[in-house]
Amino acid sequence: MKYPTRLSDAVHILAFIALYPDCDLTSNKLAESIQTNPAYVRQLMSALRKGGLLVSVKGHPRPALAREPEKITLLDVYRALEGNKPLLHQDIHTNPACGVGVNIQLVLRDFYLDIQKTAEQRMQEITLKDVLEQYHMKLEGMPLQRL
């Protein structure tokens, strides 16, 4: 099973744009960094634009952040991509005639709602600025590569 990577890919795009604000960043260039296809990058960028996190003009390879990195949270990015979809999903195809099948889903729903609330609170605390600062710490003083 392939795990969803839309959130990490979208944060990757925003970080790349923040790190290289004066460079031409085509969807091809961004796709190369993520190791995906340009159509997928354009899809993510469209969602980020609609979510008010990114500004870009079609045909001009200079996307920009719509807000300062400290004003973009992981929850903002998640909402731009997924709306109000929950992080965890229950199996809704269990046997309704089975006591375990019905009741385990009710129990899990309560736990999943708690996990959702906790995750959203934490995602609201983590900003793109935090991501960029950790990125620079991981480089351990290595000079930033230029495109």
Side-chain angles (χ1 to χ4, degrees), residues 65-141:
L65 301 179
R67 302 183 219 160
E68 295 299 316
E70 63 271 14
K71 294 185 179 176
I72 297 174
T73 69
L74 287 184
L75 186 59
D76 293 333
V77 179
Y78 183 80
R79 291 283 182 247
L81 299 172
E82 306 296 344
N84 289 317
K85 288 182 187 173
L87 295 168
L88 301 174
H89 304 277
Q90 292 178 257
D91 182 357
I92 58 171
H93 301 292
T94 57
N95 184 349
C98 173
V100 174
V102 170
N103 291 306
I104 198 70
Q105 295 307 318
L106 294 173
V107 170
L108 284 175
R109 181 186 64 202
D110 294 340
F111 285 119
Y112 284 11
L113 288 172
D114 183 51
I115 291 166
Q116 182 77 30
K117 181 180 173 186
T118 302
E120 286 183 9
Q121 287 172 344
R122 186 65 182 120
M123 290 171 77
Q124 186 65 39
E125 296 169 359
I126 301 169
T127 67
L128 181 59
K129 180 182 178 188
D130 297 325
V131 171
L132 294 169
E133 287 173 353
Q134 287 279 28
Y135 166 83
H136 287 296
M137 287 174 56
K138 297 281 184 196
L139 290 178
E140 298 177 311

Side-chain angles (χ1 to χ4, degrees), residues 25-91:
L25 298 177
T26 63
S27 56
N28 286 340
K29 182 67 149 179
L30 293 167
E32 183 180 302
S33 179
I34 299 172
Q35 292 192 332
T36 190
N37 66 66
Y40 173 68
V41 168
R42 287 190 294 274
Q43 178 189 49
L44 292 178
M45 291 177 72
S46 175
L48 294 170
R49 272 192 308 277
K50 289 176 186 170
L53 304 178
L54 186 66
V55 291
S56 64
V57 177
K58 190 173 182 173
H60 297 283
R62 290 268 171 112
L65 301 179
R67 302 183 219 160
E68 295 299 316
E70 63 271 14
K71 294 185 179 176
I72 297 174
T73 69
L74 287 184
L75 186 59
D76 293 333
V77 179
Y78 183 80
R79 291 283 182 247
L81 299 172
E82 306 296 344
N84 289 317
K85 288 182 187 173
L87 295 168
L88 301 174
H89 304 277
Q90 292 178 257
D91 182 357

